Amino acid sequence: MSGAVFALGVDLGGTKIEAALVDPTGNVLPRSRFRAPTGGTSTSEMLAASADAVVLQAIAMLPEGATLVGVGIGSAGPITVADGRVSPLNLPNWREYPLRDQIAALVPGVPVTLRMDGECITLAEHWIGAGQGESNLMGMVVSTGIGGGLILGGRAIAGPTGNAGHIGHVEVGGFDDPCLCGGTGCVEAVASGPKTTAWARRQGWLGATGEDLAASYAAGDSIAIAAVARSGRAIGQAIASSTALVDLDLVAIGGGFSHVTPDLFDYIRDAIALRAPFPFVAKVRVIPSGLSGEGPLIGAAALIHRAEFIAG
């Protein structure tokens, strides 16, 4: 592969960190994808070791004659983009941790860019996913947590700290669920996969996981139906509020819990439709992500391959 170029995409989340080599068309190089565990009980040293492991394993797969042109890191938030530091809410032992510098030390002379994972997923949707051709969109992930990112006027918007688009911590009306961020009724505290299943269990449901909830929903279990409807209502409210603020045209939603049932999207759209007196809010389209499970890695690599779409 003499002359070929790749970016290394790194995706840090609450349960795992992954890395892979991605070419300029958004394709992940086969056999270059590696993952290692993270998790809320992991020590700082364990998290650092996982990051080193996946980066070094992925780099080792760089074909002979190919060039590594940069490393893009997408991290669960919050982050401090100017200093390259991360403080993922679900990884309590990393607060203002210098992840960018740690990874840069493994690839001397190669540029390393850090952004919030929601911004990365939105860049990926805009590049090869459901947001192609759109200029004003939000990409969302509904999974262990809820994250998002913004492209407005065709440019990815990070804000001064790098946390613009952090929709998971928008508070939604009618909910009093406490959130780790200190807020009450944040959409992540209401509608993420673990929080939705926890609510269902408090109502007497006997399952344990999002997969169990999906099966119960498909079987017509009333508690499971109520739980998913509650989640969808909260997500829809958050999207409507975000659209009122920045005039979105499209929201593309991915993540494991977004697949609990196709009906989740109907509940989301129903909540947005209540804003019909404000047509510029009600017009926002909400659709499933057009990406595979490689989306977060592709989005991280887009920080390098699609740098021209990132606002300064």
Side-chain angles (χ1 to χ4, degrees):
M1 280 196 181
S2 181
V5 298
F6 292 91
L8 180 69
V10 181
D11 176 54
L12 171 66
T15 59
K16 67 183 186 306
I17 184 168
E18 292 190 282
L21 296 168
V22 181
D23 72 17
T25 66
N27 289 309
V28 172
L29 181 69
R31 296 182 297 281
S32 75
R33 183 178 180 182
F34 296 89
R35 69 169 57 183
T38 56
T41 61
S42 295
T43 66
S44 179
E45 293 76 16
M46 292 165 64
L47 294 169
S50 288
D52 281 353
V54 297
V55 168
L56 292 173
Q57 288 172 315
I59 291 173
M61 300 304 294
L62 189 69
E64 184 176 356
T67 301
L68 182 67
V69 294
V71 179
I73 307 167
S75 173
I79 66 173
T80 306
V81 71
D83 299 326
R85 295 176 179 267
V86 303
S87 304
L89 195 61
N90 294 314
L91 300 178
N93 286 315
W94 267 7
R95 291 292 175 265
E96 290 294 313
Y97 185 81
L99 181 61
R100 185 186 63 197
D101 289 349
Q102 175 183 326
I103 291 178
L106 303 176
V107 288
V110 175
V112 180
T113 301
L114 169 75
R115 291 291 189 275
M116 197 167 65
D117 56 357
E119 181 181 352
C120 293
I121 202 70
T122 307
L123 281 165
E125 293 287 1
H126 187 251
W127 186 9
I128 62 169
Q132 295 178 67
E134 298 288 341
S135 295
N136 299 286
L137 68 144
M138 176 183 286
M140 281 185 69
V141 174
V142 179
S143 187
T144 305
I146 293 181
L150 296 168
I151 287 179
L152 302 176
R155 306 290 299 279
I157 305 299
T161 66
N163 293 287
H166 210 328
I167 190 173
H169 298 280
V170 169
E171 295 187 7
V172 288
F175 301 94
D176 59 4
D177 308 56
C179 184
L180 291 174
C181 78
T184 301
C186 293
V187 66
E188 179 172 295
V190 176
S192 69
K195 296 299 185 181
T196 303
T197 57
W199 182 88
R201 287 195 297 272
R202 292 197 297 273
Q203 315 313 308
W205 178 67
L206 300 178
T209 66
E211 290 81 4
D212 294 340
L213 193 71
S216 295
Y217 186 98
D221 180 272
S222 61
I223 296 176
I225 291 170
V228 173
R230 182 178 188 266
S231 175
R233 185 169 78 254
I235 295 168
Q237 287 181 18
I239 290 172
S241 295
S242 299
T243 302
L245 185 65
V246 297
D247 200 6
L248 296 167
D249 291 320
L250 179 74
V251 177
I253 303 178
F257 195 69
S258 72
H259 303 296
V260 65
T261 169
D263 293 351
L264 177 66
F265 285 81
D266 293 330
Y267 295 125
I268 293 169
R269 295 177 186 122
D270 288 347
I272 295 169
L274 297 175
R275 301 291 188 96
F278 263 22
F280 86 94
V281 173
K283 62 100 167 67
V284 66
R285 293 178 292 126
V286 180
I287 61 175
S289 167
L291 302 171
S292 68
E294 297 174 338
L297 291 167
I298 294 169
L303 295 171
I304 306 301
H305 288 313
R306 305 272 283 183
E308 69 271 20
F309 290 97
I310 301 171

